[in-house]
Amino acid sequence: MSDNNRPGLDFDFHGKALDNIFETYAEIRDKCPVGHSERYGGFWFISKNNDIFAAEQDPERYSVAPSMLLPSFGTDIPMIPIDIDPPKHWEYRKILLPLFTPQAIRKIENGIRMTSRELAIKVLESLRHGPTDASSMFARPVPTIVFSRIAGFPEQDWPKFDKWVYDIIYARVEYPERAKNAAQAVMDYFNDLLMARRSAEPREDVIQKLLEARLDGNPLSQDELISYCYLLFVAGLDTTVWAIRSSLWYLGQNLEDQRRLREDPELIYMAVEEFLRTLSPVQAMARTCLADTVIQGQKISAGERVVLVFGSGNRDPDAYDHPEKIQIDREDNKHLAFGAGIHRCLGSNLARAELVISLKEFLNIVPEFTLAEPSEQWHGIGKLTIRMN
Amino acid sequence: MKVSVDEKRCQGHARCIAFAAQVFHIDDEGFSHEREGFETVTPELEKYVKKAFANCPENAILISD
């Protein structure tokens, strides 16, 4: 950090700041576990595991309005359900809960397996000709295909999604206009799709469930439906891409662990939890503090923005032994990768299934691989160039 | 050892059934409950229940001797 007198002053958790964020986390946990950054209009950050957990359990003090994202995802419209506080939050959330239980996800596991297998075979074919981008050929398409199928996003539209996701989630920090335009394009897209679906044959997917949902006897309005679809779009397509990519990033440079997972694929279940703890796609989420609050001796005033830094809590030495070490067989591993409390990631069971199955298939089909471009970072959804060892 | 799920804390992470599906089950909205007849944990299941306890992100699993 540049200013040693006021550590944390320029704390950031987006873009280039992620290159060495784990050192930054260690520094803020040590010097200012609750501190203030001047970025994005100013926010308090909470970096200790226990404090983050406590805030997650206290939605009456920590509101998700105006947005859980900082900066927002290219729109001021609250995303349903993550930007909604109780009691309305539960009404929205429970509509989709049955579609994302472990038993519901089990029914689509075979589809995830077949898709992963087909894509891994293409990676293998490409690797025979030279270094290959495992991100664009595997990490990006697996969740796009799997989630679009469940959600009911038509297959012919998938190629459009990639750029929208990139502009909304990654370009938003530097180029807010690009995010805004992409957000509008996505909302227009869902407006049209929802209109078309109203007069189409009913199908078994998320959009159908939303169209049929009733709150106090009334269907969701078109605006509510668009907001819900928009959230599913940004949440379902991006985070799992990052998680698959960062797992491959780790395995491409830790061959002993890569060999261990090949020899004992059952260990992938535990390895995935460790990758989620240490390389999680959701490094932080925002709240607004509704009442004057003191944490770790710091006063946060009512109305101020607060960022819960999950990525730091996940590497807190007070919560984990050797927190910086990635131990693929770590036994006690309750982490904050999916958040906690009432806003626990709705898609966590799906994400876990996608991660476990896709990594299993990848390791089953692609022989030992290493990173061909060591400058490629652990974070994001950009290129991950691998070669056969 | 006795086990139960604190239903006010459970948020449906479903980690418990990854370790001890014999003892816990998940309802149609994704929330966990101890299975009927498994409130008292047999010695051979204890280590699995302890893992579920240690990995529950919400601290929603209650165990007692």
Side-chain angles (χ1 to χ4, degrees):
Chain A
M1 239 150 282
S2 56
D3 186 341
N4 285 329
N5 297 320
R6 294 176 65 190
L9 196 63
D10 59 354
F11 174 70
D12 189 8
F13 51 100
H14 294 299
K16 286 295 283 177
L18 291 165
D19 288 1
N20 53 2
I21 196 99
F22 305 129
E23 289 89 350
T24 308
Y25 290 158
E27 191 180 355
I28 59 172
R29 276 193 309 266
D30 189 38
K31 292 186 181 158
C32 50
V34 175
H36 195 269
S37 169
E38 293 187 345
R39 291 186 185 259
Y40 312 120
F43 64 88
W44 291 94
F45 54 84
I46 299 181
S47 65
K48 294 290 285 179
N49 189 292
N50 271 345
D51 294 331
I52 296 166
F53 181 75
E56 290 263 84
Q57 303 296 330
D58 193 358
E60 283 173 11
R61 181 179 299 267
Y62 295 97
S63 165
V64 288
S67 176
M68 208 192 267
L69 282 309
L70 186 70
S72 71
F73 272 170
T75 175
D76 295 329
I77 299 168
M79 293 188 289
I80 296 174
I82 73 166
D83 294 339
I84 308 293
D85 285 318
K88 193 80 182 165
H89 166 259
W90 169 248
E91 297 296 314
Y92 287 129
R93 183 175 166 97
K94 73 175 179 196
I95 299 169
L96 291 190
L97 279 175
L99 297 189
F100 292 97
T101 61
Q103 49 273 34
I105 300 305
R106 219 165 288 134
K107 292 182 193 153
I108 58 163
E109 282 183 353
N110 209 35
I112 302 175
R113 194 168 297 118
M114 300 317 283
T115 298
S116 303
R117 198 169 288 173
E118 283 163 23
L119 291 164
I121 289 169
K122 287 186 188 161
V123 171
L124 174 62
E125 284 163 4
S126 170
L127 277 169
R128 292 203 175 107
H129 299 104
T132 294
D133 179 10
S135 182
S136 66
M137 291 193 70
F138 191 77
R140 296 231 288 259
V142 169
T144 304
I145 294 169
V146 169
F147 191 74
S148 297
R149 232 183 253 148
I150 302 168
F153 304 162
E155 185 167 349
Q156 70 270 18
D157 298 333
W158 297 347
K160 290 193 250 187
F161 295 170
D162 224 40
K163 188 181 170 332
W164 284 339
V165 166
Y166 184 83
D167 281 358
I168 290 169
I169 298 174
Y170 296 94
R172 79 185 203 273
V173 181
E174 258 187 277
Y175 309 101
E177 278 306 306
R178 266 172 70 182
K180 224 175 126 191
N181 292 338
Q184 192 54 53
V186 172
M187 290 192 208
D188 292 345
Y189 170 79
F190 282 118
N191 187 45
D192 295 346
L193 182 63
L194 286 158
M195 292 305 273
R197 285 292 301 271
R198 281 178 198 279
S199 51
E201 281 291 304
R203 305 208 327 237
E204 261 190 59
D205 57 27
V206 169
I207 287 187
Q208 193 70 37
K209 194 89 177 170
L210 292 175
L211 285 169
E212 289 170 4
R214 295 292 177 270
L215 301 187
D216 295 327
N218 300 311
L220 299 184
S221 69
Q222 181 76 355
D223 285 347
E224 287 174 311
L225 289 167
I226 292 171
S227 162
Y228 217 140
C229 287
Y230 183 77
L231 180 268
L232 293 169
F233 181 84
V234 289
L237 298 185
D238 156 69
T239 46
T240 319
V241 174
W242 175 319
I244 294 172
R245 184 192 171 282
S246 64
S247 302
L248 295 175
W249 175 87
Y250 174 82
L251 293 172
Q253 51 198 316
N254 291 276
L255 296 185
E256 227 169 273
D257 281 346
Q258 194 187 128
R259 281 170 208 146
R260 220 176 137 199
L261 294 185
R262 288 176 192 283
E263 282 158 22
D264 182 8
E266 287 309 299
L267 200 55
I268 291 175
Y269 288 93
M270 293 175 89
V272 156
E273 296 303 317
E274 185 67 343
F275 298 147
L276 285 168
R277 180 183 73 83
T278 54
L279 306 170
S280 165
V282 181
Q283 288 291 304
M285 284 288 201
R287 299 287 192 274
T288 301
C289 195
L290 296 182
D292 290 355
T293 299
V294 177
I295 315 172
Q296 303 265 1
Q298 283 288 350
K299 188 185 164 207
I300 299 175
S301 298
E304 291 188 295
R305 293 289 267 159
V306 173
V307 166
L308 309 177
V309 191
F310 304 136
S312 171
N314 278 340
R315 288 170 176 253
D316 183 347
D318 290 338
Y320 308 94
D321 294 333
H322 308 292
E324 305 292 348
K325 189 162 169 32
I326 298 183
Q327 293 172 2
I328 57 171
D329 58 356
R330 189 179 286 270
E331 292 227 330
D332 294 349
N333 202 352
K334 56 176 163 192
H335 53 71
L336 297 162
F338 294 107
I342 63 167
H343 291 284
R344 185 267 307 172
C345 171
L346 182 67
S348 64
N349 293 309
L350 171 62
R352 284 186 158 110
E354 288 184 76
L355 265 171
V356 168
I357 295 169
S358 69
L359 288 181
K360 249 186 203 176
E361 292 304 319
F362 193 91
L363 292 175
N364 200 21
I365 288 162
V366 176
E368 193 164 288
F369 64 92
T370 56
L371 298 193
E373 297 287 345
S375 64
E376 286 166 1
Q377 282 288 333
W378 71 273
H379 57 86
I381 58 171
K383 277 188 175 182
L384 185 73
T385 318
I386 60 168
R387 66 155 76 94
M388 282 204 263
N389 202 18
Chain B
M1 192 170 86
K2 290 195 184 306
V3 67
S4 62
V5 177
D6 182 342
E7 293 179 8
K8 286 197 291 294
R9 299 197 75 96
C10 175
Q11 295 291 351
H13 295 256
R15 299 305 296 143
C16 50
I17 60 157
F19 297 98
Q22 309 97 314
V23 177
F24 304 98
H25 77 97
I26 304 289
D27 67 24
D28 289 343
E29 286 182 329
F31 298 101
S32 175
H33 309 272
E34 68 278 6
R35 284 185 193 274
E36 216 172 298
F38 284 85
E39 301 88 346
T40 301
V41 181
T42 54
E44 62 270 24
L45 288 177
E46 273 193 16
K47 67 173 180 179
Y48 302 110
V49 171
K50 281 181 179 164
K51 275 192 179 180
F53 169 82
N55 282 278
C56 173
E58 306 287 350
N59 302 329
I61 294 172
L62 309 173
I63 54 180
S64 59
D65 290 330

